[in-house]
Amino acid sequence: MTQLLNADLHCHSVVSDGTLTPEALAERAKGNGVELWALTDHDEIGGLQRARDAAKSQGMGYLTGAEISVTFLHQTVHVVGLGFDADNTDLREGLRRTRGGRQERAMEMADGLAKVGIKDAYEGALKFVGNPELISRTHFARFLVESGVCKETNEVFRKYLTEGKPGYVPHRWALLKDAIHWITGAGGMAIIAHPARYKFTPNEEFALFTEFKGHGGQGVEVVTGSHSVAEFGIYAHTAKEFGLAASRGSDFHSPDESHTELGTLPPLPAGLTPVWELLSARIQ
Ligand code: AMP
Ligand code: MN
Ligand code: MN
Ligand code: MN
């Protein structure tokens, strides 16, 4: 399969912190010319059957997907899994455990916000939640925009939901090793999501890629809605350096919030192995 295939292998539905249903996402992806699509909800595969059915009725190639939250060197790192068997017990159990604790974390976030005068944020965020097991910072951000505290979600993250800010609660997610093993044990490929978003030193980033490879990780997102054009080039180089396949995905969440539309990113830089080449047997 070619480098130029319009693959969009990263987006979110109402099953995590997106605002569209799996069906609406599939329709939107198809409308934008996507040929191979994956829904990658955070820590959750509850939308995949609907996503598969919708992709098939739209005539798009489809891969199973999820984006797993991991803690590595005190930071949150996201690992995208593609092409796994969604019925795999270890994977399902691992994701269930990773989701656990989100509700408690959300109540602590609301306590933090209450201390700076923002009342009832837990109840407010819940109004935006499509899946009670998957309350995320994004849902708090939507509530704070709706209630007029901030103009847009980006501003909420900057002022309230990132480290050192009143609504931020440190959290321990899955181990890198476990997330990779859940994915590969279910026959899928583990991919480091949007590496430019992390605030690692060069040494720490080297450790991330080295450990990721060592545990059986095979891919890295190079062309993503979270990277600048310069970062496409930087991580194309990293992919080659570590012998990783390259992925492409918008990370689309919502028509109102996402700056990158489904299926509209540039193609992968030349000289990289696209993840879909290695996953061709897993495409449905
Ligand atoms: P959580 O898994 O609850 O920590 O929420 C993480 C989610 O918040 C990410 O997947 C993004 O969708 C969203 N997010 C993180 N940082 C920002 C930001 N600066 N602006 C808007 N959304 C963000
Ligand atoms: Mn998200
Ligand atoms: Mn992510
Ligand atoms: Mn994402």
Side-chain angles (χ1 to χ4, degrees):
M1 226 164 296
T2 107
Q3 185 99 11
L4 295 178
L5 182 84
N6 191 344
D8 194 324
L9 304 177
H10 189 150
C11 67
H12 299 273
S13 76
V14 288
V15 174
S16 64
D17 61 348
T19 62
L20 299 184
T21 60
E23 291 80 8
L25 286 166
E27 189 182 344
R28 200 172 178 101
K30 178 68 180 183
N32 290 342
V34 172
E35 296 161 283
L36 176 64
W37 178 64
L39 173 66
T40 54
D41 277 312
H42 295 286
D43 309 319
E44 175 64 278
I45 53 179
L48 295 192
Q49 190 57 52
R50 288 169 64 185
R52 185 189 172 280
D53 292 347
K56 292 297 90 188
S57 66
Q58 296 287 346
M60 281 187 299
Y62 168 79
L63 284 164
T64 54
E67 181 177 22
I68 306 182
S69 311
V70 160
T71 301
F72 184 79
L73 296 176
H74 309 293
Q75 288 194 48
T76 300
V77 166
H78 286 168
V79 174
V80 165
L82 294 176
F84 49 75
D85 168 11
D87 293 326
N88 183 276
T89 314
D90 287 347
L91 172 72
R92 297 182 78 90
E93 177 56 21
L95 292 175
R96 196 188 59 73
R97 281 209 310 273
T98 308
R99 287 193 298 274
R102 272 187 181 268
Q103 195 184 332
E104 214 171 301
R105 169 191 185 235
M107 292 194 288
E108 284 181 51
M109 287 170 64
D111 289 345
L113 292 169
K115 288 193 180 118
V116 293
I118 299 167
K119 291 195 181 45
D120 301 323
Y122 180 71
E123 294 72 18
L126 267 188
K127 286 190 297 177
F128 293 88
V129 166
N131 171 1
E133 279 188 52
L134 219 292
I135 181 160
S136 89
R137 284 185 292 162
T138 315
H139 302 113
F140 282 87
R142 290 187 185 132
F143 169 63
L144 265 64
V145 171
E146 181 209 49
S147 52
V149 175
C150 289
K151 275 216 176 61
E152 50 169 25
T153 52
N154 239 320
E155 185 189 346
V156 185
F157 275 88
R158 204 172 59 245
K159 293 186 176 162
Y160 294 100
L161 300 180
T162 43
E163 204 172 339
K165 301 298 156 62
Y168 182 77
V169 173
H171 192 73
R172 279 283 293 278
W173 302 104
L175 293 176
L176 179 66
K177 174 180 74 162
D178 289 344
I180 296 167
H181 290 167
W182 297 333
I183 296 163
T184 57
M189 182 189 290
I191 296 159
I192 297 185
H194 44 62
R197 284 233 317 244
Y198 314 128
K199 295 186 170 64
F200 290 126
T201 64
N203 278 343
E204 289 172 335
E205 188 183 71
F206 186 85
L208 170 66
F209 278 91
T210 305
E211 289 202 28
F212 177 75
K213 265 288 271 200
H215 293 304
Q218 283 184 284
V220 56
E221 285 186 345
V222 171
V223 175
T224 133
S226 302
H227 284 181
S228 65
V229 172
E231 287 160 350
F232 298 163
I234 292 170
Y235 289 96
H237 184 264
T238 308
K240 288 180 194 158
E241 184 185 349
F242 285 88
L244 295 169
S247 195
R248 174 182 188 262
S250 57
D251 207 354
F252 182 83
H253 281 71
S254 162
D256 302 325
E257 296 160 11
S258 296
H259 42 258
T260 307
E261 253 303 337
L262 285 154
T264 61
L265 284 164
L268 290 174
L272 299 173
T273 304
V275 294
W276 51 91
E277 225 168 81
L278 305 183
L279 285 165
S280 57
R282 311 292 301 175
I283 295 174
Q284 303 182 32

